[in-house]
Amino acid sequence: MERITKEGTVATAATYAHMFSSLPNSGKPTRLMVYDIHTLQNRFYLHGNAVASLHSAIPLLKKRMEGEGIDSVAFPDDGAAKRFAALFSDMDMEIIICGKTRGEGDERNVVVQDGN
């Protein structure tokens, strides 16, 4: 479910899912290929004439990281770490979890919450 913080903001996942689900029927459901979906439950927004086909670019990223001297993976928040950190468990990587802190007004700072 998307988090809407301002009145009048459109929840794009539901809107796009409705548009894809409303495509004309061509005999079988339309396959919507989604890479590294933000939250797995978003795939259930689709119905009727559309079905989500979930894919990941993480294997390509891991292959590219091998031999590059990279020893850690940083995630922007705890939710991303919970969703994707297990995909790096076969590599000897330190997991770093960041987070935002709010300052005065609209000031936001990124801090390391876990890891070095």
Side-chain angles (χ1 to χ4, degrees):
M1 187 66 99
E2 291 182 75
R3 184 183 328 166
I4 302 299
T5 57
K6 293 182 183 177
E7 184 65 36
T9 302
V10 176
T12 55
T15 303
Y16 286 134
H18 181 72
M19 287 173 27
F20 286 120
S21 297
S22 299
L23 290 171
N25 191 349
S26 61
K28 55 184 176 180
T30 301
R31 182 173 66 137
L32 178 63
M33 296 175 67
V34 182
Y35 282 83
D36 296 315
I37 192 167
H38 180 69
T39 58
L40 291 174
Q41 59 266 35
N42 281 357
R43 67 182 153 181
F44 298 114
Y45 280 108
L46 297 171
H47 56 83
N49 294 333
V51 62
S53 176
L54 303 181
H55 303 275
S56 179
I58 298 290
L60 295 172
L61 175 64
K62 289 169 59 174
K63 190 180 292 187
R64 183 72 188 260
M65 290 169 67
E66 290 176 357
E68 294 290 329
I70 298 171
D71 62 356
S72 58
V73 178
F75 295 98
D77 56 33
D78 192 47
K82 288 178 183 174
R83 170 85 171 89
F84 293 105
L87 299 174
F88 294 93
S89 63
D90 61 331
M91 301 176 81
D92 188 25
M93 295 278 175
E94 179 179 1
I95 302 299
I96 299 170
I97 303 172
C98 300
K100 284 189 289 191
T101 59
R102 296 182 187 267
E104 293 183 30
D106 286 339
E107 181 184 340
R108 294 182 183 149
N109 299 309
V110 176
V111 296
V112 174
Q113 293 178 334
D114 190 23
N116 291 320

